[in-house]
Amino acid sequence: MMADSIMSKAATMEIPINSNGDTGTLPEDDSLEQDLQQVMVSGPNLNETSIVSGGYGGPAGGIIPTSTIKDIRMKSRGVGLPNSQSATSRLAQHPDQHPGSSNNNTGNSTEEVSRGVAVEKLDSVKKWGINTYKCTKQMFSERFGRGSRTVDLELEAQIDVLRETKNKYEHILRLATALTSHFQSMVQTQQALGDTFTDLSQKSPELQDEFGYNAETQKLLCKNGEALLGAISFFVSSIDTLVNKTMEDTLLTIKLYENARLEFDAYRSDLEELSLGPRDAATMVRIEMAQHDYQIHRDKYERLRSDVTIKLKFLEENKVKVMHKQLLLFHNAISAYFAGNQEQLEQTLIQFNVKLKPPGSDKPSWLEEQ
């Protein structure tokens, strides 16, 4: 009975609860404190009781089980279910295993990488713009006679000779290609004419001998023509490789060299202009940076000039070797064909290792014609 009276008295009082779920300070009542202590000792288990949320005499729907309140308090303190570990203790033991730490770190790293790429691209565009401006300024200065340019007279003369030689060799290549096309048409015409003579020799008994030896002559000319056509095609292929690969590769290096020369003169002019100005602290910093850029472009210019000199030397040696062989082949094959010397023509092909294509190899197969 005493417990019931105490619980009735306690239930009508407001028990403040702080954010941690702990009870606040009760009014100073010694008798109530003693009665509560007695209830805590002899009364029912709090885990099996319930707290009325709406005050004394509230509806049954407002009763909340104590275990639920305990779970809410534990979650508000960062504590999971009884079998789980406290989030605070987990963070203390493993701070790098925070639920959102990996995502945050990944997001931060991705953002940093993107920012770094953007900054790098911006710097690249900035450098390109400055370099383009300086080179354009230098180019117009040279064109209008207001700027100076670095000239290597010996190397410039060799480059001019190479360009002129390439133009002449391209003309030879065009003429040789045209000769191949025309001669191929002639060989095909001779072959058709020989087939026609052969057919007429069989159908015209009174002219069988005349048609016969004309057919043999055209077939022999066609055979020798195919041999000469193989020699000319080999000549054209070699000239094409020399002009469009070997010479073109050297001219590409020359183009890089000329661009490096323009950049070198642009940064040289910039350094000379800064050196003529005042020598305050800011200008000295700019002069030092200009000196650094000037040295970089000077090294690039000298390296490419050396590359061009070496390539021109090897190109000249290669050109002499290739043209000596091809011109001898062309002369011997043409001479043997028009002299009617079939044996000499065949020996020429063997000497220069010219392999003839089998008859009909240029024609598309029946699959390709479908």
Side-chain angles (χ1 to χ4, degrees), residues 134-185:
K134 292 180 181 294
C135 292
T136 305
K137 179 182 176 182
Q138 176 66 23
M139 182 177 62
F140 279 105
S141 298
E142 293 177 1
R143 184 165 298 179
F144 291 105
R146 293 194 301 265
S148 61
R149 64 186 299 264
T150 303
V151 179
D152 189 332
L153 295 177
E154 182 179 358
L155 187 60
E156 293 290 338
Q158 293 178 3
I159 292 174
D160 291 339
V161 170
L162 172 60
R163 287 182 172 139
E164 184 179 359
T165 302
K166 185 174 183 293
N167 291 333
K168 293 180 178 180
Y169 276 49
E170 286 175 343
H171 186 57
I172 292 176
L173 181 61
R174 287 191 296 268
L175 293 176
T177 303
L179 177 62
T180 303
S181 178
H182 297 328
F183 196 78
Q184 187 174 11
S185 298

Side-chain angles (χ1 to χ4, degrees), residues 81-128:
L81 295 177
N83 294 332
S84 64
Q85 189 181 10
S86 171
T88 305
S89 61
R90 289 201 305 271
L91 287 175
Q93 296 176 1
H94 304 285
D96 57 339
Q97 296 181 358
H98 191 275
S101 62
S102 60
N103 293 333
N104 292 336
N105 292 335
T106 304
N108 293 335
S109 61
T110 304
E111 184 178 357
E112 290 176 358
V113 171
S114 301
R115 187 182 298 110
V117 171
V119 171
E120 183 178 356
K121 289 183 177 180
L122 183 61
D123 292 340
S124 178
V125 171
K126 182 179 178 181
K127 292 180 180 178
W128 174 84

